[in-house]
């Protein structure tokens, strides 16, 4: 994993975030927040819904599909449902677009509080995306050559395990941040100066409609230094 690049994406305006760091990086999240990591691994969708509610300070009038941080144009199709039935829409998002929902909550918290992404977090996420892509390639090869079938099944299993671990670490990281600092004003020195939230581009790498309701391969949108 050390051979993977941990640097941010060049030109992204979220690179300016330098107000504070995460309470824990994803690598140490299982040790620093073991209980939440286990819950996120066993019940990822329920954990996703809980964290989004906490990130919005239990004010569902702020809710938007993926908070318009991922596929904003597609999310606009849910605008009427968001307003009339935000809890139901969040449930649908968590179960059918789990990976995007997890990333969106983490990104929302990071952007609201101007938290710098640890380079190791970028490496972990890029490792996950790389494995998902390899699994997808093996599945495609197996469609044309049956000799790749065993390899495809093994890679698919590895990809699922890696996704489960990475998503659990990501949720444990977000949970600890919200647990210690329920709002952006709960940090020493108060809230960071506001920065206008900008939608992210279409995510790269192994696309998911999420685990639990995942598409064939579940990966995360590319994370940015200060944007994961």
């Amino acid at each position: 994993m050390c051979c993977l690049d941990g640097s941010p994406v060049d030109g992204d305006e979220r690179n300016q975030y330098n107000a504070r760091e995460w309470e824990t990086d994803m690598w140490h999240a299982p040790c620093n927040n073991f209980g939440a990591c286990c819950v996120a691994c066993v019940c990822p969708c329920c954990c996703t819904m809980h964290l989004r509610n906490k990130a919005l300070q239990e004010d569902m009038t702020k809710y938007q599909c993926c908070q318009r941080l991922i596929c904003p144009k597609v999310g606009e199709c849910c605008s009427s449902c968001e307003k009339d039935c935000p809890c139901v829409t969040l449930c649908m998002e968590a179960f059918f677009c789990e990976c995007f929902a997890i990333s969106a909550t983490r990104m929302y918290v990071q952007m609201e509080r101007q938290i710098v992404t640890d380079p190791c977090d970028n490496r972990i996420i890029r490792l996950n995306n790389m494995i998902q892509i390899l699994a997808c390639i093996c599945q495609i090869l197996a469609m044309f050559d049956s000799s790749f079938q065993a390899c495809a099944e093994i890679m698919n299993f590895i990809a699922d395990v890696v996704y489960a671990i990475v998503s659990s670490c990501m949720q444990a990281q977000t949970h600890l941040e919200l647990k210690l600092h329920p709002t952006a004003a709960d940090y020493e020195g108060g809230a960071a100066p506001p920065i206008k939230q900008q939608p992210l581009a279409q995510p790269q790498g192994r696309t998911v409609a999420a685990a639990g309701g995942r598409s064939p391969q579940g990966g995360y949108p590319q994370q940015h230094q200060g944007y994961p």
Side-chain angles (χ1 to χ4, degrees), residues 134-154:
L134 288 176
C136 187
I137 291 173
C138 289
Q139 289 283 0
I140 294 173
L141 291 175
M143 294 172 61
F144 296 96
D145 187 343
S146 59
S147 63
F148 285 96
Q149 187 61 43
C151 178
E153 292 178 358
I154 292 173

Side-chain angles (χ1 to χ4, degrees), residues 159-176:
D160 287 343
V161 171
V162 171
Y163 169 81
I165 294 173
V166 172
S167 64
S168 299
C169 292
M170 185 176 288
Q171 297 217 73
Q173 179 189 52
T174 306
H175 176 267
L176 184 62

Side-chain angles (χ1 to χ4, degrees), residues 9-224:
V9 175
D10 294 336
D12 193 284
E13 68 176 63
R14 283 169 288 273
N15 294 345
Q16 66 184 294
Y17 292 175
N18 58 9
R20 52 184 62 94
E21 297 179 351
W22 290 101
E23 288 293 337
T24 181
D25 56 20
M26 289 173 58
W27 181 260
H28 295 97
C31 296
N32 295 331
N33 199 9
F34 179 74
C37 190
C38 290
V39 172
C41 187
V42 176
C43 303
C45 298
C46 295
C47 188
T48 299
M49 295 173 62
H50 172 73
L51 290 180
R52 181 68 62 80
N53 188 46
K54 290 297 183 182
L56 298 175
Q57 300 173 36
E58 302 184 359
D59 181 4
M60 291 302 289
T61 61
K62 300 178 182 178
Y63 171 76
Q64 293 179 303
C65 182
C66 293
Q67 299 308 119
R68 296 292 190 273
L69 294 171
I70 301 172
C71 303
K73 295 298 183 182
V74 176
E76 290 176 1
C77 299
C78 304
S79 58
S80 60
C81 297
E82 294 166 352
K83 181 178 179 181
D84 298 333
C85 307
C87 294
V88 174
T89 308
L90 174 58
C91 181
M92 299 286 283
E93 177 190 334
F95 277 87
F96 293 105
C97 303
E98 178 194 295
C99 176
F100 291 160
I102 292 172
S103 290
T105 300
R106 182 175 183 266
M107 292 154 65
Y108 178 82
V109 171
Q110 182 171 18
M111 295 175 72
E112 179 187 45
R113 301 159 190 231
Q114 298 186 31
I115 301 174
V116 178
T117 300
D118 188 274
C120 188
D121 290 359
N122 283 338
R123 293 189 180 96
I124 291 173
I125 293 166
R126 287 165 183 171
L127 173 65
N128 172 74
N129 290 346
M130 181 184 70
I131 292 176
Q132 312 311 322
I133 293 172
L134 288 176
C136 187
I137 291 173
C138 289
Q139 289 283 0
I140 294 173
L141 291 175
M143 294 172 61
F144 296 96
D145 187 343
S146 59
S147 63
F148 285 96
Q149 187 61 43
C151 178
E153 292 178 358
I154 292 173
M155 281 304 304
N156 194 53
F157 174 76
I158 294 174
D160 287 343
V161 171
V162 171
Y163 169 81
I165 294 173
V166 172
S167 64
S168 299
C169 292
M170 185 176 288
Q171 297 217 73
Q173 179 189 52
T174 306
H175 176 267
L176 184 62
E177 197 71 28
L178 292 171
K179 178 181 178 181
L180 297 180
H181 310 287
T183 71
D186 291 329
Y187 293 87
E188 183 178 353
I195 289 184
K196 184 179 180 180
Q197 178 175 310
Q198 295 291 341
L200 291 185
Q202 178 72 25
Q204 304 293 321
R206 176 184 175 188
T207 308
V208 289
R214 277 184 292 171
S215 66
Q217 310 296 333
Y220 291 95
Q222 187 63 59
Q223 309 300 310
H224 310 293

